[in-house]
Amino acid sequence: MYKYIITAIIIAIFAGCSAPKPKHAPSWYTSLPKDYKFFYSVASGETTSHAKNKAIVNLRKLIQKEMDSVFTDKTTKLKIDKDFDITPILKENERLVNTVSLLELKIEETAKFNDEELILLKIPRKSIFERFNLIANKKMEVSKENYTSIKEDDSWIKKYSILNNGMKDFAKLASLVEAKKVIINSYNNTNEVNYLNDLYNDYVNLKNEISIYVLSDVNSRAFVKDIKSALSDEGIELNSKPKSDKALKIFITSNTQNLQEYGFNIAKSLVKYSTYNKNKEKVAFKQHTFSAKSRKNYSDAKMQSIIHQKSKIKKLGIFDFLGVK
């Protein structure tokens, strides 16, 4: 009796060991599903949880790749010139994809193959679209409000400051506008694209024509360098020869008082920044007071006050610093 029982157990063990295993991974794993309603992603792992985490990473990479291709393959309708650096846009694509919520993510299929867990995830395209659309609408509203604040009789430097400010969000908006089209192909982003093209063209056209010549009186030369550097950082060409009727001139003057206080040499400078257009009309003006002290001498104290100028430029931004209104 026991002999038959033992034999049956052995047969059952061998039968279990020799149970046929799938020769091929499921088709949903080898050929990723595609449709206009969902994004899909697959992965394998030691556990279902491990496979799911990998599939989420793959999903984000898949979406980013599609977003990037619009710009790398130059299929975007944004009329950016050949010298335009798309790197900031690609970085925005990466940031958007890696921060977007995936709450509606679901497990569509699971299977075991070659001692690994396989998984297929899916998420509605509409859910990602809605999140991107919410961000895009808010940023677009702010951008348009900034853009429409430009008036016909504004000075060239004010127009440039407004356009330059608008361009700081250009990469984010370009990423969002094209991403929405990638996610839902039927979405019409023509109006948004046209707006961004207008913003970009106005900015580039003015940037190519505007130039600024910065000079000072003898006592104010030390204040010139940081002004030039800040203007250059904002994309403005510095040129003593006018490029066009949009050329400007900034003249820096100052009055410095030297004082003594508790053994310190104090230099207190009232610095005036006057901006003129080509017709010698004053289009901006601002004055700032910078004070610093030194144990060495007054000259060293004055040089220390230059540091305060640089800090204030960074805090206010060069256009506000110069009194552009």
Side-chain angles (χ1 to χ4, degrees):
M1 180 69 176
Y2 290 109
K3 180 179 178 181
Y4 294 117
I5 294 174
I6 292 171
T7 302
I9 293 173
I10 292 173
I11 292 172
I13 291 172
F14 276 102
C17 292
S18 60
K21 295 182 179 180
K23 294 181 179 180
H24 304 287
S27 60
W28 52 259
Y29 183 82
T30 56
S31 181
L32 191 66
K34 290 184 180 180
D35 64 52
Y36 67 93
K37 287 187 177 181
F38 295 93
F39 279 115
Y40 295 90
S41 177
V42 295
S44 63
E46 295 176 358
T47 64
T48 301
S49 177
H50 184 217
K52 181 180 179 181
N53 290 336
K54 288 172 67 176
I56 291 172
V57 172
N58 291 340
L59 176 65
R60 293 187 188 276
K61 287 181 179 179
L62 173 67
I63 299 172
Q64 184 185 340
K65 184 179 179 181
E66 290 192 23
M67 289 167 60
D68 287 351
S69 67
V70 176
F71 299 97
T72 56
D73 296 343
K74 299 180 180 179
T75 58
T76 177
K77 292 182 180 179
L78 289 170
K79 296 177 181 177
I80 49 181
D81 55 57
K82 62 180 181 179
D83 296 323
F84 183 87
D85 182 11
I86 64 170
T87 303
I89 298 178
L90 300 183
K91 287 182 178 179
E92 282 300 322
N93 288 349
E94 181 180 12
R95 187 189 66 80
L96 280 170
V97 169
N98 287 330
T99 55
V100 68
S101 171
L102 303 177
L103 289 176
E104 291 83 356
L105 191 69
K106 292 183 179 179
I107 297 175
E108 182 74 357
E109 299 279 359
T110 59
K112 193 171 186 66
F113 179 70
N114 287 346
D115 298 324
E116 284 197 309
E117 298 294 335
L118 307 184
I119 196 169
L120 171 66
L121 302 181
K122 76 173 184 179
I123 188 169
R125 288 174 176 262
K126 186 178 179 181
S127 67
I128 299 177
F129 175 90
E130 288 174 347
R131 286 177 174 80
F132 283 177
N133 192 46
L134 184 64
I135 300 169
N137 287 343
K138 289 180 179 179
K139 289 192 174 296
M140 191 66 74
E141 183 180 353
V142 173
S143 181
K144 286 182 177 180
E145 185 177 343
N146 175 74
Y147 181 68
T148 56
S149 69
I150 299 174
K151 296 180 176 61
E152 187 67 29
D153 58 350
D154 283 340
S155 65
W156 295 119
I157 192 169
K158 181 177 180 179
K159 289 179 180 179
Y160 184 86
S161 70
I162 294 172
L163 291 170
N164 185 65
N165 183 52
M167 284 300 296
K168 290 177 180 177
D169 269 340
F170 185 84
K172 292 179 181 179
L173 288 169
S175 171
L176 285 162
V177 167
E178 291 292 10
K180 290 192 291 180
K181 182 70 174 177
V182 164
I183 294 167
I184 297 183
N185 189 54
S186 60
Y187 175 71
N188 187 350
N189 65 356
T190 302
N191 289 337
E192 293 163 305
V193 168
N194 287 343
Y195 165 71
L196 291 179
N197 282 335
D198 288 342
L199 171 64
Y200 180 73
N201 289 334
D202 286 353
Y203 169 74
V204 170
N205 289 337
L206 183 53
K207 183 175 183 288
N208 289 337
E209 291 188 80
I210 198 170
S211 64
I212 295 181
Y213 178 36
V214 184
L215 68 161
S216 71
D217 61 15
V218 176
N219 297 322
S220 311
R221 289 174 181 171
F223 295 99
V224 170
K225 182 180 177 181
D226 287 332
I227 297 298
K228 285 184 174 181
S229 178
L231 289 168
S232 182
D233 287 345
E234 297 295 344
I236 291 181
E237 181 179 337
L238 304 175
N239 200 327
S240 59
K241 295 181 180 180
K243 289 177 64 177
S244 70
D245 62 348
K246 298 175 179 60
L248 300 162
K249 183 182 292 184
I250 296 175
F251 188 50
I252 304 173
T253 59
S254 64
N255 181 25
T256 301
Q257 289 182 303
N258 295 324
L259 309 168
Q260 276 281 336
E261 186 178 283
Y262 302 110
F264 283 98
N265 301 295
I266 299 175
K268 186 177 182 181
S269 298
L270 175 64
V271 189
K272 298 180 179 180
Y273 307 83
S274 302
T275 304
Y276 301 90
N277 63 20
K278 196 178 179 183
N279 297 325
K280 298 182 180 180
E281 298 168 330
K282 187 181 287 188
V283 295
F285 174 78
K286 200 71 174 281
Q287 63 182 31
H288 301 278
T289 299
F290 305 109
S291 181
K293 57 186 179 181
S294 171
R295 292 278 190 188
K296 293 181 181 179
N297 51 49
Y298 292 118
S299 295
D300 184 62
K302 185 174 181 178
M303 292 309 297
Q304 293 297 322
S305 70
I306 307 300
I307 298 173
H308 296 173
Q309 177 191 238
K310 187 173 184 178
S311 297
K312 198 155 191 176
I313 292 172
K314 185 176 181 180
K315 179 181 178 180
L316 298 177
I318 185 60
F319 300 111
D320 191 10
F321 180 89
L322 293 172
V324 178
K325 296 180 180 180

